[in-house]
Amino acid sequence: MTRRPPPPRRSVCIDVPDGQGVIEVIGDGSGSLLLLAGDPAVLEANDGCGSVGWLAARAGTGGPGLAEVKCLTEWLGAPGLVPDPRTGQAAPPDPECLRPLLSLLAPGRYVMTAGLAPYHLRVVHPRARQVHGWYAEEELALVTTDAWPPRDHRAVRGYGDRIRAGGALPALIALFPTAGSSAGYLLDGHHKLAAYQREGESPLVIRLTPQEPRPLRRADLDRARAAFADGAPRPQGEALGRVFASMRADSF
């Protein structure tokens, strides 16, 4: 019996003509960079060592955070999205509900989808001045941008109660460099994600992707190398250095 391909994701295109540029993702599915307030903050990329190995790195502790996004938390606690029981996909929310976040993005057009994460989900938490590596056995990896595990245990328990009760599930928001990327940056929903993990359930994820991804430029990589190195000496040929060398060769 021929297996039918999964139905295409239902999506909504969103124009952000006047975004403040506080949050921006550049690169593609083989390597990308999250910029916060214009500064390199988090990097994820193929490490070039075979077996589809990946790494993530975080800039120094003095880098910018995502406190501006927290105003979305209450709505995301129960956004009213109902995943299809067969496909796990949900109709994307009204973009106006995301306006506090959209106004922080770099100007441009974004594609939004929503649905349950695949069963195999990896949470990647890169720490400052450290490199986190993994092999892409999972269908999706979410790279954290805040404390992990979350510190507010009461909030995690509260979201866990909502998940067990069913009905309106809490949602996460992640920014992906391209539609085909298997790794995205978790902008909001760390407590919700921890609750989903505690309950053993797949999280409901709202995905945002630039319709026209912005390629990495050499100037971006030069700034990123300085931000992630933090002046610390690194051995010749180490993973982060290999990634920067490979990305630089493909940049312009």
Side-chain angles (χ1 to χ4, degrees):
M1 181 176 178
T2 303
R3 184 177 180 181
R4 294 182 179 179
R9 289 180 176 271
R10 287 180 281 180
S11 62
V12 169
C13 288
I14 309 167
D15 287 313
V16 183
D18 53 354
Q20 301 174 32
V22 175
I23 303 171
E24 183 177 9
V25 63
I26 57 178
D28 55 30
S30 63
S32 64
L33 184 65
L34 182 70
L35 305 176
L36 299 179
D39 294 327
V42 187
L43 167 79
E44 62 85 17
N46 189 321
D47 70 0
C49 290
S51 301
V52 197
W54 292 81
L55 65 77
R58 190 178 179 92
T61 54
L66 287 175
E68 299 94 337
V69 182
K70 299 306 178 185
C71 54
L72 279 175
T73 302
E74 183 175 352
W75 177 80
L76 288 169
L81 305 181
V82 181
D84 184 293
R86 183 174 60 88
T87 66
Q89 298 179 22
D94 183 346
E96 286 304 312
C97 297
L98 298 179
R99 190 54 55 185
L101 171 62
L102 297 178
S103 66
L104 299 175
L105 296 176
R109 172 168 284 191
Y110 293 82
V111 178
M112 176 172 59
T113 62
L116 297 176
Y119 178 74
H120 294 291
L121 169 69
R122 176 179 289 273
V123 179
V124 180
H125 180 57
R127 294 174 174 83
R129 302 188 184 186
Q130 297 182 26
V131 175
H132 186 109
W134 75 98
Y135 286 98
E137 299 172 350
E138 293 77 13
E139 297 179 46
L140 177 67
L142 292 178
V143 182
T144 64
T145 60
D146 207 342
W148 186 263
R151 301 186 181 97
D152 190 342
H153 302 294
R154 179 179 297 180
V156 174
R157 288 195 298 270
Y159 288 125
D161 292 341
R162 294 188 189 184
I163 294 167
R164 287 194 302 275
L169 294 173
L172 325 175
I173 293 185
L175 182 62
F176 292 78
T178 67
S181 299
S182 60
Y185 301 97
L186 183 60
L187 299 184
D188 188 85
H190 293 73
H191 293 87
K192 304 175 188 71
L193 178 56
Y196 274 112
Q197 288 192 322
R198 179 176 293 185
E199 300 302 321
E201 300 289 343
S202 296
L204 176 60
V205 182
I206 299 173
R207 298 172 59 121
L208 292 172
T209 306
Q211 188 177 59
E212 296 184 6
R214 182 191 139 187
L216 283 159
R217 297 182 296 237
R218 291 189 179 182
D220 299 319
L221 293 175
D222 290 341
R223 291 168 52 230
R225 185 189 293 273
F228 294 115
D230 282 332
R234 298 198 178 268
Q236 184 72 21
E238 56 88 32
L240 193 59
R242 291 195 304 270
V243 164
F244 278 125
S246 175
M247 296 173 77
R248 184 177 180 83
D250 294 335
S251 65
F252 63 95

